[in-house]
Amino acid sequence: DGHMLIKASRTWMGDLDEEGLAVCRISDAAHIHGPKPSVETGFHAGILRERADVSVVLHFQTPHATAISCRADADRLDYFVIPEIPYYIGPVATVPYCAPGSDALAAAVIGAAKAHDMIILRNHGQVTMGNSLNDVISEASFFELACEIIVKAGDRLQPLPAEAAEALRPG
């Protein structure tokens, strides 16, 4: 109906309940009802506007994936280290650091989301999107596992062979 639910500012996913949800318009990210929404409402609404195939957007900060977001080479890493990354997620985008809640961050994330389902926000976290909360939580979990492998393997990392990763891509 042109509206979205978004968690309230300063609420945690693990503690989320009905009182922790705000209602905003997708068209302009305007707050309609409930508590003050997340400062990242702009990119959540923008992704929903741009991607008709997406109904859930998750911004998250898991330990290993966030550590990767702080690496100078995050945009050059091969994340295809386990089959689930090419199969469920595909190529990973990286956007430069922008202040949380800023128009610049929203624009960068929305732009990257046009062609990617997983986005690394430099020194900030990650964003993934999909058709259900289960899908995006699974993608975030697989991505965290891949990032943990990358961190622990260090310079001895062996990603999947390119042809194997390509064969895993759907469609």
Side-chain angles (χ1 to χ4, degrees):
D1 66 352
H3 295 92
M4 67 179 195
L5 295 175
I6 187 164
K7 73 176 195 62
S9 181
R10 301 188 183 271
T11 59
W12 298 100
M13 288 292 288
D15 299 329
L16 197 57
D17 60 14
E18 202 170 309
E19 288 82 40
L21 293 173
V23 178
C24 294
R25 263 195 315 261
I26 294 172
S27 63
D28 61 1
H31 180 213
I32 303 299
H33 178 72
K36 179 181 176 183
S38 165
V39 298
E40 307 299 10
T41 301
F43 73 63
H44 285 266
I47 291 169
L48 294 172
R49 279 193 308 271
E50 293 293 326
R51 295 275 306 265
D53 62 318
V54 168
S55 57
V56 179
V57 178
L58 178 66
H59 172 38
F60 65 102
Q61 292 104 351
T62 53
H64 293 92
T66 304
I68 294 283
S69 81
C70 298
R71 284 180 55 152
D73 63 348
D75 57 340
R76 296 184 307 276
L77 290 174
D78 185 343
Y79 294 93
F80 292 174
V81 297
I82 55 175
E84 290 81 3
I85 303 303
Y87 186 81
Y88 291 110
I89 295 172
V92 176
T94 304
V95 299
Y97 177 80
C98 299
S102 67
D103 290 341
L105 179 61
V109 171
I110 294 164
K114 290 179 182 180
H116 298 87
D117 290 341
M118 179 67 69
I119 305 162
I120 295 173
L121 315 180
R122 285 275 195 189
N123 301 88
H124 183 149
Q126 302 72 37
V127 174
T128 192
M129 60 217 69
N131 291 318
S132 72
L133 188 56
N134 254 4
D135 289 346
V136 297
I137 289 173
S138 292
E139 289 174 10
S141 297
F142 286 137
F143 191 65
E144 173 63 8
L145 175 59
C147 290
E148 182 176 3
I149 291 165
I150 291 167
V151 167
K152 289 182 174 181
D155 63 358
R156 298 181 55 85
L157 180 68
Q158 179 63 54
L160 294 168
E163 59 279 356
E166 186 57 37
L168 290 163
R169 295 283 298 134

